[in-house]
Amino acid sequence: MSPRRLHTKPWLLIGAVAFGVSAQPAVTTTAPSDTAVLLAQTESLRTVDHPRFLRLLGQLDQQAPHMSTRERWQLRYLDAWQASYQGDYANADLALRDLIDHSNDQVIATKASALLMDDMRTSKHYEQAFELANRLVANLPNIQDETARFMVLFYVSQLLTAAGQYDLAASYALQTTEVRAPGETQCAPKTVLLTTLYAGHKLNSSNPVFQQAIDACRASGQSVFLDSVWLVKSGLYLDENQAEKAISLLDRVMPNIRADQYHTHVLVAQTQLAQAYLKLGDDDKARESALAAIAISDPGDTSEFLRDAYQVLYSIEKKHGNAATALGYYERYVEQDIGYLNNVSATALAYDEAQQHTLAQKLETEKLSKQNNILELQQALNTKAMETSRLYIAMLLMALVFIAFWLLRLKRSQMRFKQLSCLDGLTGISNHQHFMSEAMRMLGMLEKKRSPACLISIDLDYFKQVNDNYGHAVGDSVLRHTVAICRRQLRSSDLFGRLGGEEFGILLADCQREQGIATADRIRRAIEASPLDADGCVISFSASVGMACTETAGYDLQRLCREADTALYKAKRTGRNRVIAISAAGAG
């Protein structure tokens, strides 16, 4: 069974290792049995000494027939935890649901619910995860066991981080630092707070929270959490263009990461090494590290770090002029990027849908309450005198107007959410998923009419240098400026979207090849002639453009995309700041 795979920043969502709250036996008025002591000891070793945890778990499984009912439920919880840690979610979730429904132990049921919520997130059942999170949060005031309370806060924080709700996630992370679970140190709370701050871009490599987390995790012996802290720090070194520091740190901690055998941490470390060596110009070591990251992943895996590994390989092969190999790596990079972005969008969408569902339930409750009030008013009308009936009727109308107002508000909120889910948050144009679905629909209509169309692919030249030299805020301004320029050159019937990063796509309907080339070159010249004035600093930039037409490629969207990307790559390779269109013979 493969170890747990995560699909967002792995150190931000610590996953199965986070279940290892170092629980100790509870103090009771009678001496606990030897089995109860062994169960508590085993649970405390999950992330401190996992090999020993497995040995004790095997010993406990052999003793199961002689245990009390409650002890057997505790053992089943530990078995479910191990199944989840290994990535065996099907068996883990069956056992967890059985614990929730039949253990008759509130503490075990709460811990099992928290674990199940995290499994749902990891296996991409986001809507169910948020529904369960809402129920657990609503029940927080009733959770007296500190360990169970800690787990709920911990996993809710990670789920909100995955949905991009960083401020709300940080508030739950701070609450974990205030929980005093038996035997629990500040390692896990400090780590989750650290990673949440990093996700929200509120952290730098010199922040004192790092040393607090390191000291706490070293003192408790929780090396997997400590690995997460190191990976956050090396990631910040890369963000701050301190590649030498990142390599030095990763070389120092890599033996411990490999010893812990946590797949995701190994993948992250290899990818970061590849990025750091690429920044320093050591292409051989960068290639070696990137290939190592890919080698330890299953063929169907999708993650941000596999995407970054393929991007490193693409950059190296492109630099050395290996066009065919570079194109192959670029295609894998695009596949990973699409999968990663779709996963992030799905998580955010599930969060918003859960919020809408909660609001709808609240409004439905208010509606039912008001309907009861209306019935009472109608009964009162039969017993009151005529002079008071008008007052009650007026109150009834006000209640109906109030209900209609809230229902209208809910409908408008849902319509606005649907519209936002189709747009790119930064530029306001179609996002990748909406662009592709609309392009496929338009091509189907154009094929029926036998009307021509052109697909334009635009990529800003040397955009990474803009981010490196001026910062990501200026880079975002360049992207918005580019969108404004392009919109001035397009018709209202043209489809315009952001495909990812600094790449944009345009579908020109009812457009011949020559018209498409003219439009593409007009856009390219407009971008070149329109530098951005950012706080007194004039930033000039250009774009490379590739184009494919239905006249040569047909109406299949995938083929149009491939030919447009091929033309774009040729424009990049032959000097940038130019338009290349695929001809009938396949050349520009």
Side-chain angles (χ1 to χ4, degrees):
M1 185 64 62
S2 299
R4 167 176 297 240
R5 264 65 164 169
L6 300 181
H7 300 272
T8 53
K9 291 186 185 300
W11 60 74
L12 301 181
L13 305 176
I14 302 168
V17 299
F19 309 152
V21 179
S22 302
Q24 301 296 330
V27 177
T28 60
T29 56
T30 60
S33 68
D34 292 341
T35 302
V37 172
L38 185 58
L39 281 164
Q41 180 185 11
T42 303
E43 184 172 3
S44 70
L45 292 172
R46 284 176 293 181
T47 58
V48 178
D49 189 346
H50 190 256
R52 188 180 174 201
F53 164 77
L54 290 177
R55 291 194 297 272
L56 292 178
L57 187 60
Q59 180 180 338
L60 286 166
D61 285 332
Q62 293 178 355
Q63 299 177 10
H66 308 292
M67 293 181 182
S68 68
T69 301
R70 187 177 190 280
E71 289 170 345
R72 282 197 293 271
W73 283 117
Q74 289 177 310
L75 177 58
R76 291 198 64 184
Y77 169 71
L78 294 179
D79 286 330
W81 183 93
Q82 176 59 22
S84 179
Y85 183 86
Q86 291 179 321
D88 185 4
Y89 302 120
N91 288 324
D93 291 357
L94 283 174
L96 291 170
R97 292 181 190 278
D98 190 37
L99 286 162
I100 295 167
D101 295 336
H102 303 113
S103 68
N104 294 320
D105 187 303
Q106 189 61 40
V107 174
I108 292 177
T110 301
K111 290 160 70 174
S113 297
L115 179 51
L116 179 61
M117 174 183 63
D118 195 63
D119 279 0
M120 288 173 176
R121 171 188 60 78
T122 308
S123 55
K124 300 184 181 180
H125 296 109
Y126 302 117
E127 292 185 20
Q128 298 176 36
F130 280 110
E131 288 176 4
L132 183 52
N134 284 339
R135 293 199 297 271
L136 287 170
V137 169
N139 193 46
L140 266 175
N142 301 320
I143 300 175
Q144 302 301 319
D145 182 85
E146 293 294 289
T147 299
R149 184 178 180 83
F150 175 90
M151 291 179 68
V152 170
L153 292 170
F154 194 102
Y155 291 132
V156 169
S157 175
Q158 293 197 97
L159 184 59
L160 290 169
T161 298
Q165 302 297 317
Y166 302 124
D167 291 339
L168 191 55
S171 71
Y172 282 103
L174 283 172
Q175 291 183 58
T176 65
T177 65
E178 301 169 0
V179 176
R180 294 293 179 262
E184 174 60 28
T185 70
Q186 285 293 299
C187 173
K190 291 294 184 184
T191 302
V192 73
L193 177 60
L194 179 80
T195 54
T196 303
L197 292 173
Y198 177 75
H201 305 288
K202 296 180 180 179
L203 195 66
N204 58 55
S205 58
S206 60
N207 194 294
V209 178
F210 272 109
Q211 195 57 49
Q212 296 171 13
I214 291 168
D215 292 343
C217 291
R218 279 177 172 167
S220 63
Q222 292 181 300
S223 61
V224 183
F225 282 103
L226 185 58
D227 292 342
S228 295
V229 176
W230 293 132
L231 289 173
V232 171
K233 193 156 193 173
S234 59
L236 281 170
Y237 282 150
L238 287 174
D239 293 344
E240 296 167 0
N241 291 316
Q242 300 186 67
E244 297 90 346
K245 287 187 176 182
I247 292 173
S248 176
L249 174 58
L250 289 168
D251 286 342
R252 178 161 51 86
V253 302
M254 185 63 85
N256 190 66
I257 290 176
R258 288 199 174 100
D260 287 329
Q261 299 181 356
Y262 187 48
H263 168 272
T264 305
H265 283 172
V266 180
L267 172 62
V268 176
Q270 290 289 1
T271 304
Q272 288 184 348
L273 279 173
Q275 292 175 310
Y277 281 126
L278 181 66
K279 284 178 178 287
L280 295 179
D282 193 337
D283 294 346
D284 290 338
K285 288 186 177 180
R287 182 188 290 110
E288 179 183 353
S289 298
L291 290 173
I294 295 170
I296 64 174
S297 301
D298 290 339
D301 282 358
T302 301
S303 74
E304 176 186 7
F305 296 100
L306 285 174
R307 178 198 67 182
D308 293 342
Y310 280 116
Q311 186 178 35
V312 168
L313 293 172
Y314 161 70
S315 300
I316 293 172
E317 298 304 330
K318 178 182 175 184
K319 175 181 176 181
H320 291 278
N322 301 323
T325 306
L327 182 58
Y329 283 135
Y330 181 76
E331 289 175 350
R332 297 303 302 275
Y333 159 75
V334 171
E335 291 174 3
Q336 290 289 328
D337 190 46
I338 292 173
Y340 166 71
L341 292 175
N342 287 344
N343 187 64
V344 171
S345 299
T347 311
L349 180 63
Y351 170 78
D352 289 333
E353 286 181 348
Q355 295 302 99
Q356 289 289 331
H357 181 67
T358 301
L359 177 60
Q361 286 183 326
K362 180 180 179 181
L363 291 176
E364 184 65 23
T365 301
E366 292 179 355
K367 177 182 177 182
L368 291 174
S369 176
K370 288 178 174 59
Q371 287 175 341
N372 288 334
N373 291 336
I374 291 171
L375 291 175
E376 292 177 0
L377 289 174
Q378 289 173 337
Q379 292 173 355
L381 285 173
N382 295 328
T383 59
K384 295 290 184 180
M386 184 60 68
E387 59 270 20
T388 59
S389 62
R390 294 178 181 177
L391 176 61
Y392 290 130
I393 292 174
M395 292 176 64
L396 172 62
L397 290 175
M398 289 178 62
L400 290 173
V401 169
F402 186 75
I403 294 170
F405 170 78
W406 277 105
L407 291 176
L408 177 62
R409 183 175 178 181
L410 174 60
K411 185 66 176 179
R412 291 178 60 187
S413 176
Q414 291 173 335
M415 293 177 64
R416 180 175 177 272
F417 170 72
K418 182 178 180 181
Q419 180 185 17
L420 290 176
S421 67
C422 298
L423 301 180
D424 175 61
L426 176 65
T427 61
I429 60 177
S430 294
N431 58 27
H432 183 279
Q433 183 176 0
H434 185 250
F435 177 87
M436 297 301 284
S437 62
E438 279 299 296
M440 187 176 298
R441 184 187 63 79
M442 289 176 61
L443 286 170
M445 296 174 59
L446 292 168
E447 184 177 15
K448 292 178 181 178
K449 299 189 299 183
R450 307 307 300 171
S451 296
C454 297
L455 180 65
I456 296 175
S457 185
I458 302 172
D459 191 272
L460 299 184
D461 299 326
Y462 304 110
F463 182 75
K464 184 176 181 299
Q465 294 181 5
V466 174
N467 281 332
D468 290 345
N469 295 334
Y470 302 100
H472 288 279
V474 173
D476 291 345
S477 297
V478 169
L479 293 176
R480 288 191 290 267
H481 185 58
T482 301
V483 168
I485 294 170
C486 292
R487 275 178 162 166
R488 290 196 288 269
Q489 309 300 325
L490 299 176
R491 304 166 298 178
S492 60
S493 60
D494 297 331
L495 180 62
F496 185 23
R498 183 184 179 194
L499 304 184
E502 66 272 24
E503 186 176 353
F504 302 90
I506 301 172
L507 181 62
L508 304 175
D510 300 313
C511 179
Q512 301 284 349
R513 183 175 185 273
E514 292 74 20
Q515 294 175 283
I517 293 174
T519 300
D521 194 58
R522 190 165 64 248
I523 291 173
R524 180 197 64 78
R525 286 187 281 106
I527 292 174
E528 182 183 21
S530 306
L532 174 68
D533 186 356
D535 297 329
C537 180
V538 178
I539 301 171
S540 299
F541 58 98
S542 62
S544 298
V545 185
M547 193 187 81
C549 300
T550 57
E551 299 168 36
T552 58
Y555 293 87
D556 181 66
L557 178 59
Q558 297 300 323
R559 183 177 175 186
L560 279 169
C561 288
R562 286 196 301 271
E563 293 199 2
D565 285 344
T566 300
L568 173 62
Y569 178 72
K570 185 174 181 181
K572 290 281 189 180
R573 188 181 58 194
T574 54
R576 294 182 169 83
N577 193 19
R578 64 194 59 212
V579 175
I580 296 293
I582 295 296
S583 67

